[in-house]
């Protein structure tokens, strides 16, 4: 079995954290890492004990939900709460950080930002990251990173496709199946 890369490992963690999000508009997860060790994680949601968007709807002002704390901030605040230094760390986020999170990441001393998907990438945030000398790199999550059985499933599907071809399935149908398998993996 082939091991996933460190980038994929930490990005998968961020995607897993996003599954805890209580925001109905966008689920985001963030993982703070130092020396290849996870030091904090966060997802976008309401304050502890507060009303959640999934229960009471979003509280939107100026097209922005003010009920939630962003994933990056939740992770940084977790470090602050428990006295864990963030200087020199890296953060893995499912989406490009907003302008406010960008400024907080810089102030926290994070040295690198890895994000999976573009999301309203603010030009000023990009400029601030550059000025601060912070590495910013897009690291899309590989489709099968969260499924360690994926290679075996892909092999089985390819074996089945070969068997269908040997048994004389119509070429058009076979091509459709091949495209569907390709989409899955």
């Amino acid at each position: 079995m082939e091991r996933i890369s460190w980038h994929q490992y930490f990005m998968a963690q961020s995607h897993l954290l996003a599954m805890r999000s209580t925001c109905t508009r966008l689920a985001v997860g963030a993982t703070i890492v130092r020396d290849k060790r996870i030091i904090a994680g966060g997802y976008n949601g309401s304050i502890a004990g507060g009303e959640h968007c999934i229960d009471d709807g979003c509280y939107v002002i100026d097209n922005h939900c003010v009920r939630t704390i962003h994933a990056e901030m939740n992770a940084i605040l977790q470090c602050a709460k428990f006295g864990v230094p963030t200087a020199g760390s890296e953060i893995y986020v499912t989406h490009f950080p907003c302008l406010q999170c960008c400024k907080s990441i810089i102030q926290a001393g994070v040295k690198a930002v890895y994000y999976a998907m573009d999301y309203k990438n603010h030009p000023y945030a990009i400029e601030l990251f550059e000025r601060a000398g912070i590495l910013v790199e897009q690291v899309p999550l590989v489709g099968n990173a969260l499924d360690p059985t994926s290679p075996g499933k892909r092999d089985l599907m390819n074996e089945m496709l070969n068997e269908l071809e040997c048994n004389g399935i119509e070429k058009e149908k076979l091509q459709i199946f091949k495209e569907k398998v390709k989409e899955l993996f």
Side-chain angles (χ1 to χ4, degrees):
M1 181 175 94
E2 185 178 328
R3 294 170 65 185
I4 64 174
S5 70
W6 285 112
H7 280 318
Q8 289 300 305
Y9 174 75
F10 297 128
M11 194 57 75
Q13 176 68 30
S14 294
H15 281 270
L16 188 61
L17 284 161
M19 294 171 73
R20 288 283 306 154
S21 172
T22 61
C23 180
T24 57
R25 298 177 78 192
L26 182 69
V28 179
T31 305
I32 301 177
V33 175
R34 188 177 38 254
D35 300 324
K36 294 191 174 34
R37 300 288 181 263
I38 296 171
I39 61 172
Y43 53 87
N44 56 332
S46 301
I47 61 169
E51 298 167 332
H52 294 280
C53 298
I54 57 174
D55 298 325
D56 296 324
C58 290
Y59 183 9
V60 178
I61 298 175
D62 295 330
N63 201 32
H64 188 77
C65 181
V66 297
R67 188 183 307 271
T68 61
I69 300 169
H70 290 187
E72 302 93 325
M73 283 304 304
N74 263 331
I76 291 168
L77 291 169
Q78 185 180 62
C79 286
K81 184 176 182 177
F82 296 107
V84 178
T86 54
S89 65
E90 302 169 320
I91 190 166
Y92 288 79
V93 191
T94 56
H95 297 77
F96 189 86
C98 74
L99 183 56
Q100 298 305 318
C101 287
C102 160
K103 292 186 281 187
S104 297
I105 288 167
I106 292 168
Q107 287 300 98
V110 174
K111 68 177 183 180
V113 175
Y114 301 102
Y115 68 98
M117 293 172 268
D118 288 320
Y119 183 73
K120 300 180 182 179
N121 301 25
H122 198 285
Y124 189 51
I126 295 167
E127 180 183 334
L128 289 175
F129 280 139
E130 286 174 1
R131 281 190 197 170
I134 294 175
L135 171 69
V136 177
E137 183 180 324
Q138 188 170 16
V139 178
L141 181 68
V142 175
N144 62 2
L146 293 174
D147 182 4
T149 64
S150 183
K153 291 176 184 176
R154 183 178 52 240
D155 292 345
L156 175 62
M157 293 300 287
N158 286 329
E159 187 179 326
M160 292 169 68
L161 288 172
N162 288 336
E163 189 68 27
L164 286 171
E165 188 173 20
C166 289
N167 286 323
I169 188 172
E170 295 175 29
K171 288 185 180 190
E172 294 81 21
K173 282 186 180 180
L174 181 63
Q175 187 58 37
I176 290 170
F177 288 139
K178 283 183 177 182
E179 288 175 18
K180 288 181 179 181
V181 168
K182 186 177 179 180
E183 286 176 21
L184 287 172
F185 301 102

